[in-house]
Amino acid sequence: MKKILDVTSPEGHYKAKAWCLECIDDRFREALSELKQRQAWHQFDRTQWAGGAKELALENPEELTPIAEAILGQLAISLKLHDAQEVALKVHEACGAYGDAMPKDREEALRFMEAELRKAADVVAGHFMQEHKGNIH
């Protein structure tokens, strides 16, 4: 294996302003940077999963899938170790992880994604935010 970058981790405790769940699709990197700037999230943790918040958009928030458990495990680490105060959940239009479930019509897709984000936010709130008292975006 060839070393391609030599980086030293800063000393001291790392505090994350937020935790973000986003899709693996790199086309939205600039949008995430803009969100970080608008929200003043100088440091944040993130988890990338195909479909972003799709795997947390469960019909029954009490019945977690193994993938939802893994994603929530990442959030738990961010809350515990880095004291994240906010949660950002992301999905995007024309996401391949949704396949045919994603409407082709833009207005329908926006309503669909909003409903998905509400369901995902309910899962996060139900499992973490009462005790943590953070914000979900």
Side-chain angles (χ1 to χ4, degrees):
M1 184 180 303
K2 179 181 172 187
K3 184 178 185 177
I4 58 173
L5 190 60
D6 188 10
V7 178
T8 303
S9 296
E11 291 188 28
H13 184 70
Y14 168 79
K15 247 184 131 131
K17 182 74 175 167
W19 174 80
C20 179
L21 173 59
E22 63 178 341
C23 186
I24 61 173
D25 191 326
D26 196 46
R27 293 177 292 171
F28 304 98
R29 182 187 312 177
E30 289 179 22
L32 182 59
S33 293
E34 185 176 330
L35 177 64
K36 273 180 66 176
Q37 186 174 4
R38 284 186 187 183
Q39 297 296 116
W41 294 340
H42 305 292
Q43 293 182 319
F44 76 108
D45 293 339
R46 73 174 165 211
T47 299
Q48 292 181 296
W49 195 271
K54 172 187 180 289
E55 296 297 336
L56 296 183
L58 305 172
E59 294 300 325
N60 183 348
E62 299 303 316
E63 294 180 15
L64 297 180
T65 65
I67 293 171
E69 286 179 359
I71 291 169
L72 291 175
Q74 294 297 290
L75 172 55
I77 290 169
S78 181
L79 294 172
K80 180 180 178 183
L81 298 181
H82 300 155
D83 196 30
Q85 297 299 303
E86 299 183 55
V87 171
L89 302 171
K90 292 175 56 185
V91 293
H92 67 88
E93 207 172 347
C95 180
Y98 277 99
D100 291 336
M102 177 70 70
K104 304 293 185 239
D105 176 77
R106 188 158 204 292
E107 292 302 315
E108 287 180 38
L110 291 174
R111 284 190 295 276
F112 174 80
M113 289 183 292
E114 186 176 341
E116 290 288 277
L117 289 169
R118 279 196 187 107
K119 288 187 279 187
D122 287 346
V123 169
V124 170
H127 288 273
F128 291 104
M129 302 317 280
Q130 286 96 359
E131 63 207 42
H132 194 68
K133 297 182 175 53
N135 296 317
I136 302 173
H137 301 280

